Amino acid sequence: MKVLVPVKRVVDYNVTITVKDDGTGVNLANVKMSMNPFDEIAVEEALRQREAGAVTEVVAISIGPDKAQDTLRTALAMGADKAILIKTDETVEPLAVAKLLKAVIDQEGADLVIMGKQAIDDDCNQTGQMLAALLGWSQGTFASKLELSADAATVTREIDGGLETLKLTLPAIVTTDLRLNEPRRVSLPNIMKAKKKPIDEMDPASLGVDMAPRLEVITTAAPEKREAGIRVETVDELIEKLKTEAAVL
Ligand code: AMP
């Protein structure tokens, strides 16, 4: 079973985001970038399934600038068999990402796609669902458990108030939730080895995909600053302030 794992290069989750003065986006200059955390979970899951014998090949794929090679090298260092970069310096919206992934799947084949439920930069949570629709494949989103057999994937999903278990006919798209697994740490020797592994490069134009943007970001704003809290001496004082200052009683 061949598994494709899309991995996006995003601002590292530990970075404190700042908004550009003109509101056109967030500052990316000199900011640490890493693999989207949900995609790390997707790579880990594909590797565990390979180690368990259910999967034969794990292919990582990223759409982005040259620098996205770093993200692919992380996937290779974790243990992915192969990496593909679809190179573009443009911002790529979820629909275009889904179309590019479909074009690669049409060319290269895949039985399963395991991908993040969302990218933590734009929080779209759209690409997996769009890809499933474009391919006409089954989908199991927000997976917290995945079991594979030769022709089916059993996905446990976290839903409001409980868990739902779905049996999907393969080929299928599975998107990962936080509790699916805890990704392995990459060892230094594996990082060094991954630096020498080849990365296949593809050009979006050669895949025949229209990447024209459909969305316009009107403005980006930082959340309102929260005021510092205060300490009160007595319960009476608290009640008084809740009545007079906060006006919530
Ligand atoms: P989104 O719909 O943008 O929240 O992204 C959901 C998932 O789609 C991510 O977790 C990735 O697995 C995949 N994805 C989105 N954009 C890219 C990209 N530029 N390159 C590779 N994978 C991507």
Side-chain angles (χ1 to χ4, degrees), residues 113-117 128-129 140-144 173-177 180:
V113 178
I114 309 180
M115 57 200 290
K117 73 168 180 182
Q129 294 88 329
T141 51
F142 313 151
S144 59
I173 311 288
V174 172
T175 73
T176 61
D177 215 329
L180 182 59

Side-chain angles (χ1 to χ4, degrees), residues 6-11 34-42 71 115-121:
V7 291
K8 187 176 187 187
R9 177 176 180 263
V10 298
V11 174
S34 301
M35 185 189 295
N36 181 42
F38 291 105
D39 301 351
E40 249 183 286
I41 294 172
T71 309
M115 57 200 290
K117 73 168 180 182
Q118 74 191 54
I120 61 163
D121 51 359

Side-chain angles (χ1 to χ4, degrees), residues 5-10 36-40 42 61-65 68 71-72 84-86 88 90-95 97-98 100-101 113-130 174-176:
V5 187
V7 291
K8 187 176 187 187
R9 177 176 180 263
V10 298
N36 181 42
F38 291 105
D39 301 351
E40 249 183 286
I61 178 164
S62 195
I63 298 147
T71 309
L72 289 168
I84 302 173
L85 172 66
I86 304 183
T88 173
E90 306 298 318
T91 306
V92 193
E93 293 173 1
L95 181 60
V97 172
L100 289 166
L101 292 174
V113 178
I114 309 180
M115 57 200 290
K117 73 168 180 182
Q118 74 191 54
I120 61 163
D121 51 359
D122 54 20
D123 274 347
C124 280
N125 179 1
Q126 294 172 358
T127 311
Q129 294 88 329
M130 287 176 169
V174 172
T175 73
T176 61

